[in-house]
Amino acid sequence: MSTATGRANARAWLGFATCVVAVAGVVIATDGTTFPALDPPTVALAPAAAALECAAAGPYEAPERGSVGVPAGLRLCPTAARTITSSGVVLDGWEIRGGVVVDAPEVVVRRSRIVGDGTQPFGIVTTARGSVRIEDVTLTGDFPEAAIGGDRWSGERLEITGVTGDGARLGESSRLRNSTVHDFVTSPGREASALVVRGNGRDVLVEDNEVDVGSGPGRGSAVLLDPERTAGRDDGPIVIRGNVLGGGRYTVREDEPGSPSDVRISGNRFRRDAEEAPVRVSRRAVLEDNSYLDGAGLPDW
């Protein structure tokens, strides 16, 4: 074998070894998720953190003031339904068809669009061990149960629109702020509400949102308090404040029995489009400074 040939073979083997190491690094970075292998130019993985980012979306930038949902003009990478099982995973810049199951703590889903195709009951849902922060995300399409569900989730600057089930189900320690929920496409024969408080109704915040469930057949309430079991007064309140709310037979409704024992509804503005009344809640609930959009006071409930 000539010296030149030997050097060429050595360079070839070095290139192969480098490729193997790079692939191994990707496997380590994505361990614990069900994300598919994609072409290298499409996905940028941060090996030191559990990040799954779409390179086409570019580096994260804070959205403009007043933005909700996916930032305008952002390029997204397509992928299928996902189950996340590693803590601290960040999903950024994806268009996910189906839904995301969060089976790990401290997950982040941001700058993404979740499109329901009827195969997953929820767009994003937490399991018993999961928690998730959702930011600048649009959820739309066919979710048989709800766009968001489970305990221990927080949503900021979300848009939930054109969904077939409930908008979001807020379990224990759930938050929704600075978001919009509107334009439901409920299937015939079922009733859907925009926001439903479930679980034990403990430590829930709904603040500074625009929520309109619409009117007519299939419309429940903009906010429905419907926990499966009652929390004690020391478990953390349900706080509904500073929202613009509209639609439904009763725009804010609290079902009995099993109603939560600490409900605070304050500073909300109501549209004049409820079929029966803007509010029907337990006399134990605290109502302060709520009004119609034109400033007129609400009728007694």
Side-chain angles (χ1 to χ4, degrees):
M1 177 184 300
S2 69
T3 302
T5 301
R7 284 197 299 267
N9 288 339
R11 284 195 297 270
W13 279 107
L14 178 60
F16 177 76
T18 302
C19 179
V20 170
V21 171
V23 172
V26 171
V27 171
I28 291 169
T30 59
D31 183 40
T33 74
T34 56
F35 266 71
L38 298 175
D39 293 335
T42 307
V43 182
L45 300 179
L52 290 159
E53 301 170 344
C54 165
Y60 177 78
E61 295 181 2
E64 296 181 0
R65 184 177 179 85
S67 172
V68 294
V70 179
L74 190 71
R75 293 180 60 191
L76 304 177
C77 297
T79 189
R82 302 287 135 232
T83 297
I84 305 303
T85 57
S86 291
S87 64
V89 165
V90 179
L91 278 69
D92 185 14
W94 295 90
E95 177 156 323
I96 301 171
R97 183 161 294 275
V100 178
V101 177
V102 179
D103 190 32
E106 300 180 358
V107 171
V108 177
V109 180
R110 69 186 182 197
R111 300 195 309 171
S112 295
R113 181 181 295 109
I114 317 294
V115 181
D117 58 6
T119 63
Q120 305 291 317
F122 295 91
I124 301 175
V125 64
T126 57
T127 67
R129 64 186 292 262
S131 64
V132 61
R133 187 170 78 250
I134 313 166
E135 302 173 342
D136 310 305
V137 168
T138 297
L139 298 107
T140 188
D142 185 5
F143 305 114
E145 294 294 332
I148 306 175
D151 299 330
R152 298 172 305 281
W153 64 265
S154 66
E156 187 88 16
R157 300 180 302 277
L158 309 185
E159 182 179 26
I160 301 174
T161 182
V163 298
T164 56
D166 293 331
R169 295 180 184 174
L170 296 99
E172 177 181 335
S173 301
S174 295
R175 307 278 186 272
L176 183 66
R177 301 183 67 251
N178 301 313
S179 300
T180 62
V181 188
H182 60 97
D183 291 330
F184 286 74
V185 288
T186 311
S187 57
R190 83 163 286 183
E191 179 178 285
S193 291
L195 304 178
V196 184
V197 176
R198 302 302 299 272
N200 59 10
R202 178 172 65 186
D203 191 22
V204 171
L205 174 64
V206 176
E207 181 177 49
D208 295 335
N209 305 288
E210 292 191 18
V211 182
D212 189 354
V213 73
S215 58
R219 300 298 183 261
S221 296
V223 180
L224 171 62
L225 308 180
D226 186 28
E228 294 94 343
R229 53 195 183 280
T230 303
R233 292 197 65 85
D234 296 331
D235 286 337
I238 295 172
V239 177
I240 303 166
R241 67 186 177 206
N243 304 282
V244 175
L245 305 171
R249 183 180 177 192
Y250 299 95
T251 302
V252 175
R253 185 172 101 232
E254 181 178 355
D255 278 355
E256 303 272 5
S259 60
S261 56
D262 191 355
V263 177
R264 307 170 192 179
I265 304 170
S266 64
N268 301 284
R269 294 179 296 158
F270 287 76
R271 304 184 190 278
R272 290 181 177 270
D273 57 358
E275 295 177 21
E276 296 286 341
V279 178
R280 190 196 76 175
V281 296
S282 166
R283 291 290 176 179
R284 295 177 297 178
V286 176
L287 275 74
E288 297 177 337
D289 301 322
N290 300 288
S291 67
Y292 286 114
L293 284 174
D294 57 13
L298 301 182
D300 290 337
W301 77 99

